[in-house]
Amino acid sequence: MSINVELFSSPGCRSCGQARETLRNLVGEFGESRIEWRVVDVLEELDHAVALGVLATPAIAIDGQLRFTGLPSIRELRAEFTRRLAAKGG
């Protein structure tokens, strides 16, 4: 089983690039088969961002739930991935 991660980003967002790099590193750590992720440009998918409650970028949704607003630490993100994967039996 895998988890679905969406990184909400906007043009000109300095922290969004750092969030993207953090996610890329963690996906490499956990394995691409366990974490599916994509970057969502809030300007292109505004309705989706609003539906999840994204008010600022970066923001991270996991399995369709807004989980982080702002840039979480790698430790927080790793713990959340570990918890969710364990709950799914992965």
Side-chain angles (χ1 to χ4, degrees):
M1 283 260 158
S2 65
I3 58 175
N4 182 15
V5 178
E6 294 174 300
L7 169 61
F8 290 86
S9 177
S10 61
C13 170
R14 292 181 186 163
S15 296
C16 294
Q18 188 176 355
R20 183 178 298 125
E21 191 61 33
T22 298
L23 274 174
R24 184 175 292 124
N25 289 336
L26 281 176
V27 168
E29 184 180 309
F30 282 90
E32 291 183 22
S33 64
R34 299 176 74 199
I35 299 173
E36 297 176 26
W37 72 290
R38 72 183 188 114
V39 177
V40 178
D41 183 327
V42 295
L43 298 180
E44 293 178 9
E45 296 187 51
L46 184 59
D47 291 342
H48 180 52
V50 169
L52 289 178
V54 175
L55 299 176
T57 58
I60 297 174
I62 303 173
D63 292 334
Q65 290 182 307
L66 183 61
R67 181 60 188 95
F68 296 101
T69 55
L71 183 61
S73 72
I74 195 165
R75 185 179 350 194
E76 291 172 305
L77 206 47
R78 184 182 288 119
E80 184 69 16
F81 288 175
T82 300
R83 184 183 69 75
R84 288 192 182 246
L85 287 167
K88 287 189 172 194

